[in-house]
Amino acid sequence: MLYEVNYLAVVVATVISFLFGWAWYGPVFGKKWMALMGYTKENMTSMKMKPITAMVLGFVSNLVMAYVVAMLAGLLGLSGFGGAFTLAFWVWLGFVATISMGSVLWENRSWSLYCFNVVYQFVLIFIMAMIVVMWM
């Protein structure tokens, strides 16, 4: 049985989560992230992908994630703050935190960077879950 997704909620969750990502990796914690990555303002301009391409692909990625979160919330019949938090926590723990661990284990990234990124991912998923669950 498929759940009828509220597409407006998915779009709003996508836009808000995209803006959250911009704030997190920009004005709020951008300098911290750059330091953890070993980036400087100068070598940021030499990244392989143009910023607009990265932003478009990031938006599409958030759109897919928001849709999946909405589908899971509907299939599980979740409601309220508790339902949104529970969904976000288990999706984050079971998939994001575990898959992201590979960056520490195999890519020589620091634990600090890992923690920085997975905390962001948890809050991102929780924002999406709150929006889609409250609009169900």
Side-chain angles (χ1 to χ4, degrees):
M1 170 172 55
L2 285 178
Y3 167 72
E4 187 70 31
V5 171
N6 181 334
Y7 293 105
L8 179 60
V10 169
V11 170
V12 169
T14 301
V15 170
I16 290 174
S17 65
F18 185 80
L19 293 172
F20 169 69
W22 168 81
W24 182 276
Y25 287 100
V28 177
F29 297 118
K31 289 180 183 176
K32 175 72 174 171
W33 173 76
M34 286 177 61
L36 290 169
M37 289 293 294
Y39 288 163
T40 64
K41 288 196 183 251
E42 293 75 36
N43 67 9
M44 285 289 291
T45 60
S46 67
M47 294 178 79
K48 293 180 182 179
M49 192 175 295
K50 292 180 181 179
I52 189 68
T53 304
M55 286 189 281
V56 168
L57 293 174
F59 188 86
V60 171
S61 174
N62 282 357
L63 181 63
V64 170
M65 189 184 315
Y67 179 83
V68 170
V69 167
M71 183 63 74
L72 288 172
L75 289 171
L76 295 171
L78 300 176
S79 63
F81 176 88
F85 183 85
T86 300
L87 174 61
F89 177 78
W90 288 113
V91 167
W92 172 81
L93 181 64
F95 300 103
V96 176
T98 54
I99 291 170
S100 297
M101 182 81 57
S103 68
V104 174
L105 302 175
W106 313 114
E107 298 172 4
N108 203 30
R109 301 287 182 167
S110 71
W111 282 104
S112 297
L113 179 61
Y114 167 80
C115 291
F116 182 87
N117 286 329
V118 296
V119 167
Y120 160 76
Q121 290 291 338
F122 173 75
V123 176
L124 177 80
I125 296 168
F126 180 61
I127 289 169
M128 289 178 176
M130 280 296 295
I131 293 167
V132 299
V133 165
M134 293 307 182
W135 260 348
M136 289 176 52

